[in-house]
Amino acid sequence: MLVALAIMPGSIDRIESSTDSAAPRSRTFMDADGAQWRVFEQYFAHYDRRSGKSLIFSSESAVRRVRDYPADWYELPDEDLATLSWKS
């Protein structure tokens, strides 16, 4: 599934979620190649036998899912977040 995002240059908020701990966290970052990524947590699908959340990385040209990620992922530097996006 390809997700297109319209992001205005210079309007990127690193942490976009509210301070409510129950609200899903979301943030954006730019990778070393200049690609803009939106990152957010998503619960596993109802038909998945596993429970929990995945970290979804979505850009104009790709979508990646990481199931095992640190709780403080939204505080990671952009470079570390980009590396995490390749974790299987």
Side-chain angles (χ1 to χ4, degrees):
M1 179 173 111
L2 183 61
V3 177
L5 299 175
I7 299 173
M8 300 298 291
S11 67
I12 300 165
D13 291 326
R14 287 181 51 85
I15 299 173
E16 299 171 341
S17 66
S18 72
T19 57
D20 178 3
S21 62
R25 291 202 160 105
S26 175
R27 76 173 259 201
T28 58
F29 75 97
M30 188 173 294
D31 68 16
D33 296 325
Q36 194 78 38
W37 290 87
R38 177 174 176 248
V39 187
F40 59 95
E41 292 179 314
Q42 181 174 340
Y43 282 98
F44 290 172
H46 294 298
Y47 56 84
D48 195 327
R49 61 180 154 70
R50 295 166 283 205
S51 63
K53 293 186 243 180
S54 294
L55 196 57
I56 307 298
F57 293 80
S58 176
S59 76
E60 189 174 297
S61 62
V63 175
R64 301 177 189 150
R65 176 174 59 181
V66 175
R67 290 189 170 123
D68 184 23
Y69 57 93
D72 66 346
W73 64 268
Y74 54 91
E75 296 177 353
L76 292 174
D78 291 357
E79 183 177 305
D80 293 348
L81 205 53
T83 300
L84 178 63
S85 77
W86 288 101
K87 186 175 180 183
S88 55

